[in-house]
């Protein structure tokens, strides 16, 4: 397998892990919403702890992904700091389809996570104002 092929496989694996973690983050954020609605301090603490653990895992994976992507930049003759979309533009066939799938999936989960975090922040502000 070529260096490009190995790097793409590593990237696929990391994106799959990140995509799964984003799904876990969405679930944990929604659990936090329920905990806030129920006004359950124990459940709120548990959800915050879970979100923190997942955030640390995501940061580690993101560092690995960026290192692989940096090596791919060199392999594909891309400018330093290229995005995943730039990498996708230099691929074709099944490689492009897999990368596009992960990018789209992750964007959707990030959107859900932002929306849920926005709701949770509003609920927190409301609770603080009430107290």
């Amino acid at each position: 397998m070529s260096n490009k092929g190995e790097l793409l496989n590593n990237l696929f694996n990391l994106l799959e892990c990140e995509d799964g973690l984003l799904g876990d983050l969405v679930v944990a954020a929604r659990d936090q919403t329920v905990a806030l609605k129920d006004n359950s301090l124990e459940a709120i603490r548990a959800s915050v702890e879970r979100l923190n653990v997942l955030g640390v895992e995501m940061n580690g994976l993101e560092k690995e992904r960026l290192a692989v992507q940096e090596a791919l930049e060199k392999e594909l003759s891309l400018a330093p700091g290229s995005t995943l979309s730039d990498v996708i533009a230099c691929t074709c066939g099944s490689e492009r389809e897999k990368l596009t799938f992960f990018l789209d999936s992750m964007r959707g989960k990030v959107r859900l996570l932002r929306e849920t975090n926005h709701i949770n922040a509003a609920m927190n502000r409301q609770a603080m104002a009430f107290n």
Side-chain angles (χ1 to χ4, degrees):
M1 181 180 287
S2 71
N3 192 37
K4 175 188 169 189
E6 287 178 38
L7 289 169
L8 282 170
N9 279 335
N10 287 342
L11 184 60
F12 296 145
N13 291 334
L14 289 165
L15 289 172
E16 184 175 27
C17 290
E18 283 189 313
D19 188 52
L21 271 177
L22 279 170
D24 293 344
L25 281 163
V26 169
V27 169
R30 287 181 174 164
D31 289 346
Q32 186 179 42
T33 304
V34 171
L36 289 164
K37 284 180 184 176
D38 293 345
N39 199 25
S40 169
L41 189 55
E42 184 176 313
I44 292 169
R45 283 185 182 146
S47 67
V48 168
E49 184 176 317
R50 178 76 176 135
L51 286 165
N52 286 336
V53 167
L54 292 169
V56 168
E57 286 181 52
M58 182 60 83
N59 284 336
L61 282 174
E62 184 65 4
K63 286 178 184 176
E64 289 182 55
R65 182 190 66 81
L66 290 174
V68 169
Q69 199 165 306
E70 184 178 327
L72 258 173
E73 287 171 358
K74 294 173 185 164
E75 191 71 26
L76 299 172
S77 301
L78 292 170
S82 297
T83 64
L84 186 55
S85 293
D86 296 328
V87 173
I88 291 172
C90 292
T91 60
C92 57
S94 64
E95 293 170 341
R96 178 176 273 193
E97 288 175 16
K98 283 170 97 173
L99 290 172
T100 301
F101 167 81
F102 284 123
L103 182 60
D104 291 344
S105 177
M106 291 170 69
R107 280 181 175 164
K109 289 174 182 165
V110 166
R111 190 173 29 258
L112 287 173
L113 187 57
R114 274 193 201 119
E115 290 170 5
T116 306
N117 284 339
H118 179 74
I119 290 167
N120 290 350
M123 290 175 70
N124 275 321
R125 283 191 303 274
Q126 188 175 28
M128 294 295 281
F130 179 76
N131 288 331

